[in-house]
């Protein structure tokens, strides 16, 4: 779960990371009230989960109630690269001497946490990484050892921060690490981390991603969850307890197991199609689960064909087949289904599917053949031609290692 800047700053404050005093506003009047409370000058910041808000006109300084009104009215309702601004953060403006960058994230390959600090903050860090990778100092942190004071001091020194900023920056980097670990984040990032003319180091922005696997021990995350802007398809999937990620294509996907679901996306791409989603039904494929999965996939108006890819393990083939048939009775689908069923009791499962085979339910023996059929169907239906079932391929079509 990604937090908005204001939530990230609230999170930072719990671990004593210095942030500016401020408050949220959903209306122009509220923005003025928050500005009066924070004290002028203030900075008015669009709360959207996308970077580069400054350049897009979503961050403005204001010296009076009149200026707050003017800017707040402009920023509320603004569209920043597809993100509608519904909420503002208004904080006391800081004087900036220098802008730095600091973050902690997980480096899965190294099996360690990764701290990054740069003296080139305030700008897009990806750009710095691409053009001037040596400007970013890195430190792998063993999760068992944690981050020592010496480690943090060395990191900020290597990043080339000036002497007068080092103690403050190292202190913040350590607190950031504690916030990341205790707060169960997968990313904490401060860009810019500023040095004020009077020598204080301070977080001016906050980017925090929380690790959803740890949600069970954070009842307080509920407050963040209610403000999440979800894709309507993802909202429905979440309600149904399904692992779903919405994509842009026309082939809806239902698979069991995250690995198989990922492979299914690859195979659809490989045969020239575009997946509409990732959906993992998990271990079971009962009628209940299938009906839920099909309902979610069906709610996507871009879907033209649905590819169900199930490898029976503990869930047996005939259960899956019965589940699909029953789910089709429960949910009225806008698109035809192509199913590939393999694994435990696949023969029995396919026999059941054969009894129900129609233009709406097509069974194919391999993953590649099923993907081809689903992609052809989706293409034909997108082109507006009447739904017709492409004939099964005559040549053996399993060209690669994926069956
Ligand atoms: P982002 O562009 O979406 O990452 O938004 P940031 O919160 O990082 O702000 C972008 C830029 O606005 C910063 O790099 C600063 O240059 C400027 N800015 C933000 N807050 C203040 C402030 O309190 N005072 C001043 N002078 N500039 C600010
Ligand atoms: Mn920023």
């Amino acid at each position: 779960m990604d937090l908005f800047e204001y939530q990230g700053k609230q999170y930072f404050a719990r671990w004593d990371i210095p942030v500016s005093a401020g408050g949220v506003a959903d209306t122009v009047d509220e923005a003025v009230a928050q500005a009066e409370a924070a004290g002028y000058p203030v900075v008015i910041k669009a709360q959207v989960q996308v970077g580069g808000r400054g350049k897009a006109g979503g961050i403005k300084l204001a010296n009076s109630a009149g200026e707050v009104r003017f800017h707040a009215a402009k920023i509320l309702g603004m569209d920043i690269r597809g993100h509608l601004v519904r909420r503002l953060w208004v904080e006391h403006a800081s004087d900036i001497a220098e802008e730095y960058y600091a973050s902690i994230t997980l480096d899965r390959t190294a099996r360690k946490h990764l701290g990054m600090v740069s003296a080139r903050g305030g700008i897009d860090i990806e750009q710095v990484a691409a053009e001037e990778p040596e400007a970013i100092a890195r430190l792998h942190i063993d999760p068992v050892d944690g981050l020592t004071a010496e480690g943090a001091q060395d990191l900020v020194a290597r990043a080339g921060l000036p002497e007068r900023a080092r103690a403050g920056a190292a202190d913040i980097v350590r607190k950031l690490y504690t916030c990341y670990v205790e707060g169960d984040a997968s990313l904490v990032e401060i860009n810019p981390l500023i040095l004020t003319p009077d020598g204080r180091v301070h977080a001016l922005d906050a980017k925090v991603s929380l690790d959803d696997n740890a949600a069970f021990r954070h009842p307080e995350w509920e407050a963040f969850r209610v403000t999440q802007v979800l894709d309507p398809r993802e909202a429905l999937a979440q309600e149904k307890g399904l692992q779903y990620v919405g994509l842009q294509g026309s082939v809806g996907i239902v698979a069991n197991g995250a690995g198989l679901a990922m492979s299914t996306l690859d195979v659809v791409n490989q045969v020239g199609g575009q997946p509409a989603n990732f959906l993992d039904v998990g271990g079971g494929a009962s009628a209940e689960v299938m009906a839920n999965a099909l309902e979610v996939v069906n709610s996507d108006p871009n879907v033209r064909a649905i590819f169900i890819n199930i490898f029976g393990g503990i869930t047996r083939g005939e259960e899956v087949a019965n589940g699909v048939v029953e789910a089709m009775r429960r949910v009225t689908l806008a698109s035809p289904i192509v199913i590939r069923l393999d694994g435990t009791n696949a023969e029995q499962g396919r026999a059941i599917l054969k009894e129900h085979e129609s233009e709406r339910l097509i069974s194919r023996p391999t993953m590649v053949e099923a993907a081809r059929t689903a992609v052809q169907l989706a293409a034909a239906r997108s082109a507006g031609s009447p739904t017709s079932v492409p004939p099964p391929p005559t040549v053996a079509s399993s060209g690669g290692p994926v069956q």
Side-chain angles (χ1 to χ4, degrees):
M1 175 165 58
D2 299 328
L3 301 189
F4 287 97
E5 175 197 3
Y6 73 92
Q7 296 168 327
K9 285 181 168 169
Q10 288 165 358
Y11 219 53
F12 282 175
R14 279 173 59 183
W15 283 274
D16 261 354
I17 296 166
V19 291
S20 306
V24 293
D26 297 340
T27 64
V28 172
D29 285 340
E30 282 172 19
V32 173
Q34 294 291 11
E36 305 280 331
Y40 295 104
V42 294
V43 54
I44 300 167
K45 308 182 78 174
Q47 296 301 289
V48 282
Q49 291 175 340
V50 59
R53 292 167 299 165
K55 273 185 227 151
I59 297 180
K60 295 286 179 196
L61 286 163
N63 286 297
S64 65
E67 288 182 18
V68 172
R69 275 188 192 285
F70 178 79
H71 292 303
K74 262 196 164 168
I75 299 173
L76 281 168
M78 190 181 263
D79 185 295
I80 300 183
R81 275 174 285 141
H83 296 247
L84 178 68
V85 182
R86 298 170 188 277
R87 179 162 277 187
L88 305 172
W89 170 252
V90 182
E91 71 177 26
H92 183 69
S94 305
D95 285 333
I96 302 175
E98 295 190 349
E99 296 188 313
Y100 314 129
Y101 172 93
S103 70
I104 316 274
T105 185
L106 176 66
D107 183 347
R108 287 174 195 280
T109 328
R111 297 174 162 217
K112 285 183 176 157
H113 302 304
L114 175 64
M116 288 191 275
V117 175
S118 176
R120 308 255 292 118
I123 54 170
D124 189 3
I125 197 68
E126 275 82 22
Q127 196 184 324
V128 179
E131 291 170 4
E132 223 184 317
E134 65 287 350
I136 303 171
R138 294 156 202 266
L139 175 68
H140 277 107
I141 306 162
D142 189 302
V144 175
D145 302 337
L147 177 61
T148 60
E150 295 71 32
Q153 282 155 12
D154 178 59
L155 181 60
V156 300
R158 281 193 286 121
L161 266 58
E163 195 63 58
R164 67 185 192 287
R166 287 186 193 173
D171 182 53
I172 289 180
V173 168
R174 280 196 88 195
K175 287 172 174 166
L176 194 61
Y177 181 74
T178 311
C179 166
Y180 168 87
V181 173
E182 290 179 2
D184 283 311
S186 53
L187 167 75
V188 285
E189 183 185 82
I190 307 175
N191 189 22
L193 176 70
I194 61 157
L195 174 69
T196 62
D198 58 1
R200 286 172 303 117
V201 184
H202 183 99
L204 218 57
D205 193 6
K207 189 166 167 186
V208 175
S209 298
L210 300 173
D211 179 354
D212 291 321
N213 295 303
F216 70 95
R217 57 186 172 213
H218 292 281
E220 82 280 12
W221 287 3
E222 194 48 39
F224 300 143
R225 202 172 308 284
V226 297
T227 60
Q228 292 299 302
V229 189
L230 280 185
D231 173 321
R233 300 170 298 172
E234 293 186 356
L236 181 63
Q238 202 172 73
E239 213 174 276
K240 307 269 182 198
L242 296 165
Q243 297 296 326
Y244 176 96
V245 180
L247 302 167
Q248 315 304 323
S250 60
V251 181
I253 298 206
V254 176
N256 68 329
L260 185 62
M262 293 297 282
S263 314
T264 310
L265 300 193
D266 287 346
V267 172
V268 165
N269 271 317
Q270 193 183 310
V271 300
Q274 297 289 327
N277 64 278
F278 166 99
L279 196 163
D280 169 17
V281 293
S286 64
E288 179 73 26
V289 171
M290 261 307 157
N292 284 340
L294 289 174
E295 192 187 330
V296 169
V297 171
N298 194 51
S299 74
D300 181 344
N302 292 330
V303 168
R304 292 290 176 272
I306 300 171
F307 177 8
I308 301 180
N309 191 6
I310 302 286
F311 193 94
I314 294 167
T315 317
R316 301 191 309 272
E318 73 272 22
E319 289 177 282
V320 175
N322 284 326
V324 171
V325 170
E326 174 59 26
M328 286 182 75
R329 282 202 193 100
R330 295 195 204 171
V331 188
T332 311
L333 296 173
S335 309
I337 289 176
V338 181
I339 178 166
R340 171 264 187 168
L341 179 57
D342 213 333
T344 314
N345 292 4
E347 291 304 320
Q348 289 96 312
R350 288 183 197 154
I352 294 167
L353 291 172
K354 198 155 185 65
E355 288 167 31
H356 296 85
E357 183 117 18
S358 73
E359 289 214 326
R360 313 294 298 167
L361 180 64
I362 302 153
S363 177
R364 291 284 182 262
T366 72
M367 191 153 147
V368 173
E369 284 171 74
R372 282 218 174 91
T373 304
V375 169
Q376 285 166 11
L377 267 175
R381 296 185 76 246
S382 298
S385 55
T387 310
S388 65
V389 185
T394 44
V395 256
S397 51
S398 43
V402 181
Q403 293 288 311

